[in-house]
Amino acid sequence: MSPPEPDDAGSLESLLQVTLEGGEDDERAWEAIRALQARGTRDVLDAALQLLGASSAKARRRGADILGQLGAGTAAFRTERGDALVDLLGREREPAVLLSAGVALSHLVEPRALAALIAQARHPSAEARYGAAHGLAVLDAPEAVEALIQLSSDEDRDVRDWATFGLGTLMEARDTPRLRDALVARLGDEDPEIVGEALVGLATRKDPRAVEPVRAALMGETVMVYALEAAASLGDPGFHPLLLALRDATGPGDDYFRSVLEDVISQFEQTSA
Protein backbone atom coordinates (compact mmCIF):
# COMPACT_ATOMS: atom_id res chain seq x y z
CA MET A 1 0.00 0.00 0.00
CA SER A 2 1.45 3.36 -1.01
CA PRO A 3 1.57 6.27 1.45
CA PRO A 4 -1.46 8.56 1.39
CA GLU A 5 -0.92 11.92 -0.27
CA PRO A 6 -2.30 15.24 1.05
CA ASP A 7 -5.18 15.07 -1.44
CA ASP A 8 -5.82 11.38 -0.79
CA ALA A 9 -9.51 10.50 -0.94
CA GLY A 10 -9.13 7.84 1.75
CA SER A 11 -11.59 7.81 4.59
CA LEU A 12 -10.96 9.72 7.79
CA GLU A 13 -10.86 6.45 9.69
CA SER A 14 -8.25 4.89 7.40
CA LEU A 15 -5.97 7.93 7.59
CA LEU A 16 -6.26 8.04 11.36
CA GLN A 17 -5.32 4.38 11.53
CA VAL A 18 -2.21 5.02 9.45
CA THR A 19 -1.13 7.81 11.83
CA LEU A 20 -1.07 5.28 14.66
CA GLU A 21 1.11 2.79 12.82
CA GLY A 22 4.92 2.67 12.78
CA GLY A 23 7.33 4.66 14.90
CA GLU A 24 7.30 8.34 15.68
CA ASP A 25 9.33 9.21 12.58
CA ASP A 26 7.47 6.84 10.26
CA GLU A 27 7.08 8.73 6.99
CA ARG A 28 3.87 6.97 6.05
CA ALA A 29 2.29 8.09 9.31
CA TRP A 30 3.40 11.68 8.70
CA GLU A 31 1.97 11.60 5.17
CA ALA A 32 -1.35 10.67 6.71
CA ILE A 33 -1.03 13.45 9.31
CA ARG A 34 -0.35 15.98 6.57
CA ALA A 35 -3.30 14.68 4.55
CA LEU A 36 -5.59 15.18 7.55
CA GLN A 37 -4.16 18.64 8.23
CA ALA A 38 -4.73 19.64 4.62
CA ARG A 39 -8.42 18.74 4.91
CA GLY A 40 -8.84 21.06 7.88
CA THR A 41 -12.46 20.08 8.37
CA ARG A 42 -14.64 19.84 11.48
CA ASP A 43 -14.61 16.04 11.40
CA VAL A 44 -10.80 16.00 11.43
CA LEU A 45 -10.78 18.47 14.32
CA ASP A 46 -13.24 16.34 16.28
CA ALA A 47 -11.22 13.19 15.61
CA ALA A 48 -7.99 14.86 16.76
CA LEU A 49 -9.69 16.15 19.90
CA GLN A 50 -10.91 12.65 20.63
CA LEU A 51 -7.35 11.33 20.29
CA LEU A 52 -6.22 13.76 22.99
CA GLY A 53 -8.42 11.89 25.44
CA ALA A 54 -7.21 8.41 24.48
CA SER A 55 -5.57 6.09 26.98
CA SER A 56 -2.69 5.52 24.56
CA ALA A 57 0.13 8.09 24.78
CA LYS A 58 0.86 7.54 21.10
CA ALA A 59 -2.73 8.40 20.19
CA ARG A 60 -2.62 11.56 22.33
CA ARG A 61 0.63 12.53 20.67
CA ARG A 62 -0.83 12.04 17.20
CA GLY A 63 -3.82 14.15 18.17
CA ALA A 64 -1.50 17.00 19.10
CA ASP A 65 0.52 16.49 15.90
CA ILE A 66 -2.63 16.84 13.80
CA LEU A 67 -3.90 19.90 15.67
CA GLY A 68 -0.65 21.84 15.35
CA GLN A 69 -1.05 22.58 11.65
CA LEU A 70 -4.69 21.67 11.08
CA GLY A 71 -5.83 23.65 8.06
CA ALA A 72 -2.30 23.64 6.59
CA GLY A 73 -1.32 27.13 7.69
CA THR A 74 -4.80 28.66 7.94
CA ALA A 75 -6.52 29.81 11.12
CA ALA A 76 -9.01 26.94 10.99
CA PHE A 77 -10.53 26.31 14.43
CA ARG A 78 -7.66 28.20 16.02
CA THR A 79 -9.39 28.92 19.33
CA GLU A 80 -10.60 25.35 19.77
CA ARG A 81 -7.19 23.94 18.93
CA GLY A 82 -5.52 26.31 21.38
CA ASP A 83 -8.03 25.47 24.11
CA ALA A 84 -7.43 21.75 23.67
CA LEU A 85 -3.64 21.94 23.60
CA VAL A 86 -3.40 24.25 26.61
CA ASP A 87 -5.71 21.88 28.49
CA LEU A 88 -3.52 18.95 27.43
CA LEU A 89 -0.42 20.62 28.90
CA GLY A 90 -2.20 20.99 32.21
CA ARG A 91 -2.99 17.28 32.60
CA GLU A 92 -0.42 15.39 30.52
CA ARG A 93 2.41 13.47 32.20
CA GLU A 94 3.99 11.62 29.27
CA PRO A 95 7.10 13.50 28.00
CA ALA A 96 6.62 12.45 24.37
CA VAL A 97 3.09 13.88 24.36
CA LEU A 98 4.32 17.09 25.99
CA LEU A 99 6.90 17.37 23.22
CA SER A 100 4.24 17.13 20.50
CA ALA A 101 1.99 19.58 22.35
CA GLY A 102 4.81 22.13 22.64
CA VAL A 103 5.63 21.86 18.94
CA ALA A 104 1.93 22.13 18.04
CA LEU A 105 1.57 25.26 20.16
CA SER A 106 4.57 26.79 18.41
CA HIS A 107 2.57 26.68 15.18
CA LEU A 108 -0.37 28.36 16.87
CA VAL A 109 1.74 31.03 18.66
CA GLU A 110 -0.53 30.58 21.68
CA PRO A 111 0.11 33.12 24.48
CA ARG A 112 -2.39 31.36 26.76
CA ALA A 113 0.11 28.50 27.01
CA LEU A 114 2.86 30.70 28.46
CA ALA A 115 2.55 29.66 32.11
CA ALA A 116 2.21 25.96 31.29
CA LEU A 117 5.18 26.06 28.92
CA ILE A 118 7.33 27.78 31.53
CA ALA A 119 6.45 25.01 33.97
CA GLN A 120 7.20 22.42 31.28
CA ALA A 121 10.63 24.01 30.77
CA ARG A 122 11.53 22.71 34.25
CA HIS A 123 10.39 19.16 33.50
CA PRO A 124 12.91 16.40 34.37
CA SER A 125 12.56 14.92 30.87
CA ALA A 126 14.60 16.44 28.02
CA GLU A 127 11.79 15.53 25.60
CA ALA A 128 9.34 17.68 27.51
CA ARG A 129 11.82 20.55 27.83
CA TYR A 130 12.47 20.39 24.11
CA GLY A 131 8.75 20.78 23.46
CA ALA A 132 8.67 23.74 25.84
CA ALA A 133 11.53 25.39 23.93
CA HIS A 134 9.51 25.16 20.73
CA GLY A 135 6.38 26.64 22.25
CA LEU A 136 8.20 29.43 24.10
CA ALA A 137 10.42 30.52 21.22
CA VAL A 138 7.51 32.11 19.34
CA LEU A 139 5.99 34.00 22.27
CA ASP A 140 6.70 37.71 22.63
CA ALA A 141 6.95 37.91 26.40
CA PRO A 142 9.79 38.64 28.85
CA GLU A 143 8.91 35.48 30.76
CA ALA A 144 9.38 33.41 27.60
CA VAL A 145 12.80 34.99 27.04
CA GLU A 146 13.85 34.19 30.60
CA ALA A 147 12.73 30.57 30.29
CA LEU A 148 14.65 30.19 27.02
CA ILE A 149 17.75 31.70 28.60
CA GLN A 150 17.59 28.95 31.20
CA LEU A 151 17.03 26.30 28.52
CA SER A 152 19.94 27.59 26.44
CA SER A 153 22.30 26.09 29.01
CA ASP A 154 20.36 22.82 29.31
CA GLU A 155 22.32 19.57 29.60
CA ASP A 156 20.52 18.19 26.55
CA ARG A 157 21.99 19.19 23.19
CA ASP A 158 18.64 19.47 21.33
CA VAL A 159 17.12 21.62 24.05
CA ARG A 160 20.12 23.97 24.05
CA ASP A 161 20.05 24.13 20.27
CA TRP A 162 16.40 25.13 19.94
CA ALA A 163 16.55 27.55 22.86
CA THR A 164 19.60 29.24 21.33
CA PHE A 165 17.90 29.38 17.94
CA GLY A 166 14.83 30.86 19.61
CA LEU A 167 16.80 33.54 21.42
CA GLY A 168 19.08 34.33 18.51
CA THR A 169 16.72 34.24 15.54
CA LEU A 170 13.05 33.71 16.38
CA MET A 171 13.20 36.44 19.06
CA GLU A 172 15.26 38.75 16.86
CA ALA A 173 13.23 41.80 17.93
CA ARG A 174 14.13 41.20 21.58
CA ASP A 175 17.43 42.66 22.73
CA THR A 176 18.52 42.77 26.37
CA PRO A 177 21.94 42.48 28.02
CA ARG A 178 20.89 39.24 29.68
CA LEU A 179 19.77 37.72 26.37
CA ARG A 180 23.05 38.72 24.72
CA ASP A 181 25.05 37.30 27.61
CA ALA A 182 23.22 33.99 27.22
CA LEU A 183 24.21 33.91 23.54
CA VAL A 184 27.82 34.75 24.40
CA ALA A 185 27.85 31.83 26.83
CA ARG A 186 26.94 29.50 23.98
CA LEU A 187 29.98 30.54 21.94
CA GLY A 188 31.88 28.01 24.02
CA ASP A 189 29.41 25.19 23.38
CA GLU A 190 30.79 21.85 22.25
CA ASP A 191 28.25 21.69 19.41
CA PRO A 192 29.20 23.77 16.33
CA GLU A 193 25.58 24.33 15.28
CA ILE A 194 24.74 25.85 18.65
CA VAL A 195 27.82 28.07 18.40
CA GLY A 196 26.62 29.10 14.94
CA GLU A 197 23.13 29.96 16.18
CA ALA A 198 24.66 32.08 18.94
CA LEU A 199 26.92 33.89 16.46
CA VAL A 200 23.99 34.73 14.21
CA GLY A 201 21.95 36.03 17.15
CA LEU A 202 24.78 38.24 18.41
CA ALA A 203 25.65 39.51 14.94
CA THR A 204 22.03 40.41 14.21
CA ARG A 205 22.14 42.58 17.33
CA LYS A 206 25.50 44.10 16.28
CA ASP A 207 27.17 42.87 19.44
CA PRO A 208 30.92 43.55 19.14
CA ARG A 209 31.71 40.37 21.08
CA ALA A 210 30.79 38.44 17.93
CA VAL A 211 33.45 40.04 15.71
CA GLU A 212 36.47 37.95 16.71
CA PRO A 213 34.54 34.65 16.94
CA VAL A 214 33.16 35.27 13.42
CA ARG A 215 36.65 36.04 12.16
CA ALA A 216 37.94 32.81 13.70
CA ALA A 217 35.00 30.87 12.24
CA LEU A 218 35.70 32.20 8.74
CA MET A 219 39.29 31.03 9.07
CA GLY A 220 38.41 27.65 10.53
CA GLU A 221 38.96 24.28 8.95
CA THR A 222 35.21 23.77 8.43
CA VAL A 223 33.21 26.93 7.76
CA MET A 224 29.45 26.77 8.28
CA VAL A 225 26.76 28.96 6.73
CA TYR A 226 26.14 30.45 10.17
CA ALA A 227 29.51 32.21 9.98
CA LEU A 228 28.64 33.67 6.59
CA GLU A 229 25.29 34.95 7.84
CA ALA A 230 26.89 36.45 10.94
CA ALA A 231 29.57 38.16 8.84
CA ALA A 232 26.87 39.67 6.64
CA SER A 233 24.95 40.99 9.66
CA LEU A 234 28.03 42.57 11.26
CA GLY A 235 29.36 44.01 8.00
CA ASP A 236 32.92 44.39 9.31
CA PRO A 237 35.15 45.31 6.30
CA GLY A 238 37.87 43.03 7.68
CA PHE A 239 35.72 40.03 6.79
CA HIS A 240 35.83 40.77 3.05
CA PRO A 241 39.32 39.35 2.31
CA LEU A 242 38.52 36.31 4.43
CA LEU A 243 35.38 35.71 2.39
CA LEU A 244 37.33 36.05 -0.87
CA ALA A 245 39.92 33.57 0.37
CA LEU A 246 37.15 31.23 1.35
CA ARG A 247 35.66 31.44 -2.15
CA ASP A 248 39.01 30.53 -3.66
CA ALA A 249 39.38 27.58 -1.29
CA THR A 250 35.84 26.23 -1.57
CA GLY A 251 35.58 23.21 -3.79
CA PRO A 252 32.60 22.05 -5.84
CA GLY A 253 29.75 20.09 -4.39
CA ASP A 254 28.07 22.43 -1.93
CA ASP A 255 25.92 24.64 -4.11
CA TYR A 256 23.97 26.15 -1.22
CA PHE A 257 27.10 27.17 0.68
CA ARG A 258 28.63 28.70 -2.44
CA SER A 259 25.40 30.56 -3.19
CA VAL A 260 25.27 32.10 0.29
CA LEU A 261 28.98 32.92 0.12
CA GLU A 262 28.57 34.73 -3.21
CA ASP A 263 25.59 36.68 -1.85
CA VAL A 264 27.57 37.79 1.22
CA ILE A 265 30.60 38.78 -0.88
CA SER A 266 28.32 40.78 -3.17
CA GLN A 267 26.84 42.54 -0.15
CA PHE A 268 30.30 43.59 1.05
CA GLU A 269 31.31 44.78 -2.43
CA GLN A 270 28.14 46.84 -2.83
CA THR A 271 28.72 48.45 0.56
CA SER A 272 32.31 49.41 -0.27
CA ALA A 273 31.49 50.65 -3.80
Side-chain angles (χ1 to χ4, degrees), residues 122-140:
R122 300 188 292 268
H123 198 283
S125 167
E127 266 192 305
R129 298 195 303 275
Y130 185 49
H134 275 265
L136 290 165
V138 298
L139 298 182
D140 185 18

mmCIF file of all heavy atoms in Angstrom, residues 122-140:
data_model
loop_
_atom_site.group_PDB
_atom_site.id
_atom_site.type_symbol
_atom_site.label_atom_id
_atom_site.label_comp_id
_atom_site.label_asym_id
_atom_site.label_seq_id
_atom_site.Cartn_x
_atom_site.Cartn_y
_atom_site.Cartn_z
ATOM 1 N N ARG A 122 10.820 23.240 33.076
ATOM 2 C CA ARG A 122 11.527 22.711 34.248
ATOM 3 C C ARG A 122 11.298 21.209 34.427
ATOM 4 O O ARG A 122 11.659 20.638 35.444
ATOM 5 C CB ARG A 122 11.066 23.468 35.502
ATOM 6 C CG ARG A 122 11.343 24.967 35.450
ATOM 7 C CD ARG A 122 11.050 25.616 36.797
ATOM 8 N NE ARG A 122 9.631 25.615 37.111
ATOM 9 C CZ ARG A 122 8.792 26.607 36.804
ATOM 10 N NH1 ARG A 122 9.240 27.679 36.166
ATOM 11 N NH2 ARG A 122 7.512 26.539 37.128
ATOM 12 N N HIS A 123 10.704 20.580 33.423
ATOM 13 C CA HIS A 123 10.388 19.156 33.500
ATOM 14 C C HIS A 123 11.679 18.327 33.552
ATOM 15 O O HIS A 123 12.677 18.679 32.917
ATOM 16 C CB HIS A 123 9.571 18.743 32.270
ATOM 17 C CG HIS A 123 8.835 17.462 32.414
ATOM 18 N ND1 HIS A 123 9.470 16.237 32.317
ATOM 19 C CD2 HIS A 123 7.518 17.194 32.646
ATOM 20 C CE1 HIS A 123 8.570 15.276 32.473
ATOM 21 N NE2 HIS A 123 7.383 15.813 32.672
ATOM 22 N N PRO A 124 11.698 17.239 34.300
ATOM 23 C CA PRO A 124 12.908 16.402 34.366
ATOM 24 C C PRO A 124 13.258 15.714 33.048
ATOM 25 O O PRO A 124 14.403 15.298 32.856
ATOM 26 C CB PRO A 124 12.578 15.376 35.460
ATOM 27 C CG PRO A 124 11.098 15.384 35.583
ATOM 28 C CD PRO A 124 10.668 16.777 35.262
ATOM 29 N N SER A 125 12.297 15.584 32.141
ATOM 30 C CA SER A 125 12.555 14.916 30.872
ATOM 31 C C SER A 125 13.014 15.920 29.809
ATOM 32 O O SER A 125 12.380 16.965 29.601
ATOM 33 C CB SER A 125 11.298 14.210 30.369
ATOM 34 O OG SER A 125 11.442 13.821 29.017
ATOM 35 N N ALA A 126 14.107 15.584 29.104
ATOM 36 C CA ALA A 126 14.599 16.445 28.024
ATOM 37 C C ALA A 126 13.574 16.553 26.902
ATOM 38 O O ALA A 126 13.462 17.601 26.257
ATOM 39 C CB ALA A 126 15.919 15.910 27.488
ATOM 40 N N GLU A 127 12.830 15.477 26.636
ATOM 41 C CA GLU A 127 11.794 15.529 25.601
ATOM 42 C C GLU A 127 10.784 16.622 25.894
ATOM 43 O O GLU A 127 10.417 17.409 25.013
ATOM 44 C CB GLU A 127 11.068 14.184 25.524
ATOM 45 C CG GLU A 127 11.588 13.221 24.503
ATOM 46 C CD GLU A 127 10.650 12.057 24.299
ATOM 47 O OE1 GLU A 127 10.304 11.384 25.286
ATOM 48 O OE2 GLU A 127 10.270 11.799 23.154
ATOM 49 N N ALA A 128 10.321 16.679 27.128
ATOM 50 C CA ALA A 128 9.339 17.684 27.510
ATOM 51 C C ALA A 128 9.937 19.087 27.430
ATOM 52 O O ALA A 128 9.283 20.030 26.957
ATOM 53 C CB ALA A 128 8.817 17.404 28.917
ATOM 54 N N ARG A 129 11.169 19.243 27.885
ATOM 55 C CA ARG A 129 11.817 20.554 27.834
ATOM 56 C C ARG A 129 12.011 21.011 26.390
ATOM 57 O O ARG A 129 11.894 22.198 26.075
ATOM 58 C CB ARG A 129 13.153 20.533 28.578
ATOM 59 C CG ARG A 129 13.029 20.209 30.066
ATOM 60 C CD ARG A 129 14.307 20.545 30.830
ATOM 61 N NE ARG A 129 15.496 19.885 30.338
ATOM 62 C CZ ARG A 129 15.898 18.673 30.682
ATOM 63 N NH1 ARG A 129 15.158 17.946 31.529
ATOM 64 N NH2 ARG A 129 17.019 18.142 30.206
ATOM 65 N N TYR A 130 12.307 20.064 25.516
ATOM 66 C CA TYR A 130 12.465 20.390 24.105
ATOM 67 C C TYR A 130 11.148 20.917 23.524
ATOM 68 O O TYR A 130 11.137 21.890 22.761
ATOM 69 C CB TYR A 130 12.930 19.141 23.357
ATOM 70 C CG TYR A 130 13.260 19.345 21.901
ATOM 71 C CD1 TYR A 130 14.088 20.384 21.480
ATOM 72 C CD2 TYR A 130 12.763 18.472 20.932
ATOM 73 C CE1 TYR A 130 14.405 20.548 20.133
ATOM 74 C CE2 TYR A 130 13.080 18.628 19.594
ATOM 75 C CZ TYR A 130 13.901 19.663 19.205
ATOM 76 O OH TYR A 130 14.210 19.827 17.876
ATOM 77 N N GLY A 131 10.047 20.286 23.892
ATOM 78 C CA GLY A 131 8.746 20.781 23.461
ATOM 79 C C GLY A 131 8.473 22.171 23.989
ATOM 80 O O GLY A 131 7.938 23.038 23.283
ATOM 81 N N ALA A 132 8.854 22.410 25.253
ATOM 82 C CA ALA A 132 8.672 23.740 25.837
ATOM 83 C C ALA A 132 9.470 24.784 25.079
ATOM 84 O O ALA A 132 8.996 25.903 24.837
ATOM 85 C CB ALA A 132 9.082 23.721 27.304
ATOM 86 N N ALA A 133 10.693 24.441 24.686
ATOM 87 C CA ALA A 133 11.528 25.388 23.935
ATOM 88 C C ALA A 133 10.854 25.792 22.635
ATOM 89 O O ALA A 133 10.879 26.973 22.248
ATOM 90 C CB ALA A 133 12.899 24.769 23.656
ATOM 91 N N HIS A 134 10.236 24.840 21.964
ATOM 92 C CA HIS A 134 9.506 25.161 20.732
ATOM 93 C C HIS A 134 8.364 26.132 21.008
ATOM 94 O O HIS A 134 8.212 27.145 20.309
ATOM 95 C CB HIS A 134 8.947 23.879 20.113
ATOM 96 C CG HIS A 134 9.914 23.153 19.244
ATOM 97 N ND1 HIS A 134 9.978 23.315 17.885
ATOM 98 C CD2 HIS A 134 10.882 22.242 19.544
ATOM 99 C CE1 HIS A 134 10.922 22.542 17.380
ATOM 100 N NE2 HIS A 134 11.486 21.878 18.369
ATOM 101 N N GLY A 135 7.545 25.800 21.984
ATOM 102 C CA GLY A 135 6.380 26.640 22.254
ATOM 103 C C GLY A 135 6.738 28.024 22.742
ATOM 104 O O GLY A 135 6.063 29.013 22.407
ATOM 105 N N LEU A 136 7.801 28.141 23.543
ATOM 106 C CA LEU A 136 8.203 29.427 24.102
ATOM 107 C C LEU A 136 8.879 30.331 23.085
ATOM 108 O O LEU A 136 8.779 31.557 23.171
ATOM 109 C CB LEU A 136 9.150 29.199 25.283
ATOM 110 C CG LEU A 136 8.532 28.610 26.547
ATOM 111 C CD1 LEU A 136 9.618 28.102 27.481
ATOM 112 C CD2 LEU A 136 7.663 29.647 27.256
ATOM 113 N N ALA A 137 9.582 29.738 22.129
ATOM 114 C CA ALA A 137 10.418 30.517 21.217
ATOM 115 C C ALA A 137 9.628 31.457 20.313
ATOM 116 O O ALA A 137 10.213 32.372 19.722
ATOM 117 C CB ALA A 137 11.267 29.578 20.362
ATOM 118 N N VAL A 138 8.326 31.258 20.211
ATOM 119 C CA VAL A 138 7.515 32.113 19.336
ATOM 120 C C VAL A 138 6.689 33.126 20.120
ATOM 121 O O VAL A 138 5.938 33.901 19.521
ATOM 122 C CB VAL A 138 6.577 31.259 18.456
ATOM 123 C CG1 VAL A 138 7.382 30.351 17.537
ATOM 124 C CG2 VAL A 138 5.610 30.439 19.307
ATOM 125 N N LEU A 139 6.820 33.122 21.449
ATOM 126 C CA LEU A 139 5.992 33.996 22.272
ATOM 127 C C LEU A 139 6.732 35.282 22.620
ATOM 128 O O LEU A 139 7.867 35.251 23.086
ATOM 129 C CB LEU A 139 5.568 33.273 23.557
ATOM 130 C CG LEU A 139 4.711 32.026 23.360
ATOM 131 C CD1 LEU A 139 4.319 31.436 24.716
ATOM 132 C CD2 LEU A 139 3.457 32.355 22.542
ATOM 133 N N ASP A 140 6.090 36.401 22.379
ATOM 134 C CA ASP A 140 6.704 37.705 22.628
ATOM 135 C C ASP A 140 6.391 38.136 24.061
ATOM 136 O O ASP A 140 5.471 38.913 24.312
ATOM 137 C CB ASP A 140 6.159 38.736 21.631
ATOM 138 C CG ASP A 140 6.842 40.090 21.763
ATOM 139 O OD1 ASP A 140 7.940 40.141 22.361
ATOM 140 O OD2 ASP A 140 6.279 41.092 21.280
#
